[in-house]
Amino acid sequence: MLPWLAFTRWTRACSFIFISLALAACGSVSRLAAVAEIDTARASVLGIADARFVPGDTAAMLAFGRRVYERELKYFGSLGRPVPPEYILAISGGGDNGAFGAGLLVGWSEQGTRPVFKVVTGISTGALIAPFAFLGPEYDPVLAEIYTSIDQNDIFRKRPLIAGFTSDAMADTTPLQNHIAKYLDEGTVARIAEEYRHGRALIIVTTNLDAGIPVMWNIGGIADSGHPDRLELIRKILLASAAVPAVFPPVMFDVTVDGAPHQELHVDGGASMQTFLYPATLRLGKLSGGGSRRARTAYIVRNGRLAETWSETERSTLSIAARAVSTLTTNSGVGDLYRMYAQAKRDGVSFRLAVIDDDFREPHPAEFDRIYMGKLFDYARAKARTGYAWRTAPPGF
């Protein structure tokens, strides 16, 4: 299913119709000029250095990685302690299946072996989990509340059909914006900034639809920037990472290039990838802070299954299209696992994978069904509490 909002019958149909009718003919919403292709990597957001990175910007990402390790060395040196093993957590999209990742983290804390993650990444529903996973077990009650107490009314409101076709999406995400603002406040951002100064990184991925590329946002750097609009920017990033194209409105980011104002149109990070570990061009062994001998483990939480569940497909255009999109997205997510596994093997990183297994068979009557999410949360929590059996390779290895 597509990340963050797995399509309901209504959203699937609307999305397909939206695309098929070429909505450029139906109307559009005004915006500032997009950033020219040649200037994509130079666009500045609030003038914050290291606010984000784009593919191909290898030198900037490598320099950022080294600065993170230098801060970590300085922090542990001030404590008179050696740099600990490195743990990375990557949380996928998956709509209401994010209850799986939330429950797993809570149960892991209760089991007593959950590590402090040096790097946490999140996409779509994973973007909502990631800040609280980054800050540690004291935020487990927040994760539990988010994924066991919400329903559709906390995520979106359907727009009238004509309004949907003549604007930029079929739904209004004001409820989701309010939900993000409720849990992500100034105190949370201050904590993220503090951990960033200790040499840890929190990365959220969106998709720049103008450029057609993923964007990796450095949430810790933004939080630590001191900019008065940093909180609002971080909230917008989380909302953008969850903005399923055509169903949820895109998020517009005001940027400048050589002082000239532009706008970028961003949507769900899942339009680019389902899970993100770290850039393939970044070879961890070449960074400072322990060198290639440092023990590293990557934990990947896939908020979904490894294959589509069987379902007889109606012989109709919308049913076929919806099933095809769902199948494509699931298989794309499994492809991400192979990519991350190859990176981990190359860099000597231990690979650990958690997925929703076939022993979870609860009915799923509607998206963001509170009963379904509660049972999925409890399922993952129980498995983690007794010691989760992490897979050490993707399917087929």
Side-chain angles (χ1 to χ4, degrees), residues 45-46 48 51 184 217 219 222 225 227-239 251 253-254:
V45 183
L46 300 182
I48 300 174
L184 193 75
W217 295 86
I219 303 301
I222 296 170
S225 68
H227 196 284
D229 295 331
R230 63 191 182 283
L231 174 60
E232 186 58 30
L233 175 59
I234 293 172
R235 288 172 173 171
K236 287 181 68 174
I237 293 166
L238 298 189
L239 182 66
V251 174
F253 288 93
D254 295 322

Side-chain angles (χ1 to χ4, degrees), residues 27-358:
S28 62
V29 180
S30 62
R31 56 168 293 185
L32 295 181
V35 176
E37 180 179 4
I38 194 172
D39 294 324
T40 297
R42 298 199 307 117
S44 173
V45 183
L46 300 182
I48 300 174
D50 287 344
R52 60 187 189 167
F53 304 95
V54 298
D57 201 1
T58 305
M61 286 188 285
L62 183 60
F64 167 72
R66 286 174 174 158
R67 285 193 293 273
V68 168
Y69 278 105
E70 287 168 2
R71 283 195 295 271
E72 185 184 34
L73 283 171
K74 181 178 179 180
Y75 172 66
F76 281 99
S78 70
L79 300 177
R81 292 162 49 190
V83 175
E86 179 177 334
Y87 300 99
I88 305 170
L89 176 67
I91 313 170
S92 81
D96 55 5
N97 281 333
F100 172 77
L104 185 145
L105 285 163
V106 172
W108 198 356
S109 298
E110 293 168 342
Q111 198 264 343
T113 61
R114 176 176 157 186
V116 175
F117 301 106
K118 175 179 171 59
V119 180
V120 177
T121 74
I123 293 177
S124 207
T125 193
L128 294 189
I129 297 172
F132 308 108
F134 180 76
L135 291 176
E138 68 181 277
Y139 283 84
D140 285 355
V142 175
L143 287 177
E145 182 175 341
I146 291 174
Y147 283 93
T148 61
S149 66
I150 66 169
D151 56 28
Q152 284 190 8
N153 294 327
D154 297 299
I155 306 302
F156 65 91
R157 290 194 296 259
K158 299 177 185 178
R159 287 173 173 168
L161 194 61
I162 297 301
F165 281 128
T166 56
S167 60
D168 56 3
M170 302 305 297
D172 173 12
T173 52
T174 299
L176 178 57
Q177 294 180 52
N178 295 336
H179 208 62
I180 292 171
K182 175 182 177 181
Y183 295 105
L184 193 75
D185 57 18
E186 287 284 2
T188 306
V189 169
R191 285 292 315 282
I192 292 171
E194 179 183 9
E195 295 303 319
Y196 177 73
R197 292 192 292 272
H198 294 169
R200 300 176 62 211
L202 172 61
I203 305 296
I204 301 298
V205 179
T206 65
T207 298
N208 179 338
L209 212 54
D210 295 317
I213 58 172
V215 176
M216 293 147 279
W217 295 86
N218 172 20
I219 303 301
I222 296 170
D224 193 43
S225 68
H227 196 284
D229 295 331
R230 63 191 182 283
L231 174 60
E232 186 58 30
L233 175 59
I234 293 172
R235 288 172 173 171
K236 287 181 68 174
I237 293 166
L238 298 189
L239 182 66
S241 189
V244 179
V247 181
F248 285 0
V251 174
M252 306 304 299
F253 288 93
D254 295 322
V255 302
T256 58
V257 178
D258 297 330
H262 297 268
Q263 280 187 320
E264 296 176 344
L265 188 153
H266 286 240
V267 297
D268 194 335
S272 299
M273 62 186 79
Q274 308 300 304
T275 320
F276 173 72
L277 189 58
Y278 56 87
T281 54
L282 207 63
R283 293 178 176 267
L284 298 187
K286 293 186 177 181
L287 296 174
S288 60
S292 59
R293 293 190 181 90
R294 186 178 188 183
R296 295 182 171 96
T297 304
Y299 292 95
I300 293 91
V301 176
R302 175 171 167 77
N303 291 307
R305 303 178 188 270
L306 291 174
E308 281 288 287
T309 54
W310 189 93
S311 176
E312 183 174 352
T313 305
E314 297 176 9
R315 190 177 177 182
S316 69
T317 301
L318 295 180
S319 179
I320 292 169
R323 182 65 172 173
V325 168
S326 181
T327 302
L328 173 65
T329 305
T330 296
N331 290 325
S332 172
V334 173
D336 287 338
L337 299 180
Y338 296 136
R339 170 178 50 80
M340 292 184 289
Y341 182 70
Q343 284 179 246
K345 294 292 285 184
R346 180 196 68 186
D347 294 338
V349 178
S350 298
F351 182 93
R352 300 291 183 268
L353 171 65
V355 302
I356 301 174
D357 281 314
D358 293 338

